[in-house]
Amino acid sequence: MTSDVLVVGEVPESVRAAVTGVVKALEQAFNDKDPVALSEQFAERASWSNARGLRQDGRAAIAEFSGPALKSFLRDSYARYDIVKLLELAPGVIAVNVVQTPTDAAGEPVEGLHGATLYVISEQPDGWKIVAGQNTAVDAPAA
């Protein structure tokens, strides 16, 4: 996590590292086109709305949707996920604002829609997981 991240509330370094790990694991799973690894970043009871406005509820539904999506319309899509803000909502519950930048397979930025994403990540019995999230496709930020 870079120093450009705005942190609001009491977010210990160990929690920052944990939620950053979730976001980076999600990025890696997306770029690897691995629906199982992607869905494992979500809680069993999670709600996720993707950039197309489609909502999936639960880890199983997220995996079920992600598999075909990653192999069809997302097969040539890659992205870098940069955390820009952490907001403590309650102990063990962190809102995470992420900017998604489209890249090529080597990680170099390319033209295309960006993502403005909000994850709510909380401590679960099986570790820190996304419990709710929304991804919004946006134009590239002005230079």
Side-chain angles (χ1 to χ4, degrees):
M1 189 165 59
T2 69
S3 60
D4 295 341
V5 175
L6 174 62
V7 179
V8 181
E10 298 297 322
V11 184
E13 190 57 44
S14 61
V15 173
R16 293 180 197 190
V19 298
T20 298
V22 170
V23 172
K24 288 304 178 181
L26 191 68
E27 173 188 331
Q28 188 67 51
F30 176 80
N31 289 332
D32 289 347
K33 309 305 176 208
D34 184 341
V36 173
L38 187 140
S39 69
E40 287 174 348
Q41 303 315 306
F42 290 85
E44 286 292 336
R45 293 181 52 195
S47 183
W48 170 246
S49 294
N50 67 25
R52 290 187 166 189
L54 301 173
R55 189 182 75 230
Q56 293 92 45
D57 292 316
R59 184 184 290 166
I62 292 165
E64 185 177 316
F65 175 84
S66 297
L70 291 170
K71 293 186 181 1
S72 60
F73 68 91
L74 292 173
R75 76 179 167 278
D76 296 321
S77 297
Y78 300 91
R80 182 181 69 233
Y81 295 14
D82 294 310
I83 296 173
V84 294
K85 182 178 179 183
L86 299 176
L87 169 64
E88 180 187 42
L89 299 174
V93 183
I94 309 296
V96 182
N97 291 103
V98 173
V99 172
Q100 296 173 337
T101 302
T103 68
D104 61 19
E108 294 300 317
V110 297
E111 295 287 322
L113 288 175
H114 287 59
T117 307
L118 173 65
Y119 301 116
V120 177
I121 300 177
S122 75
E123 194 167 19
Q124 302 288 302
D126 57 342
W128 288 86
K129 302 291 180 184
I130 300 166
V131 294
Q134 166 75 45
N135 189 17
T136 303
V138 296
D139 290 328

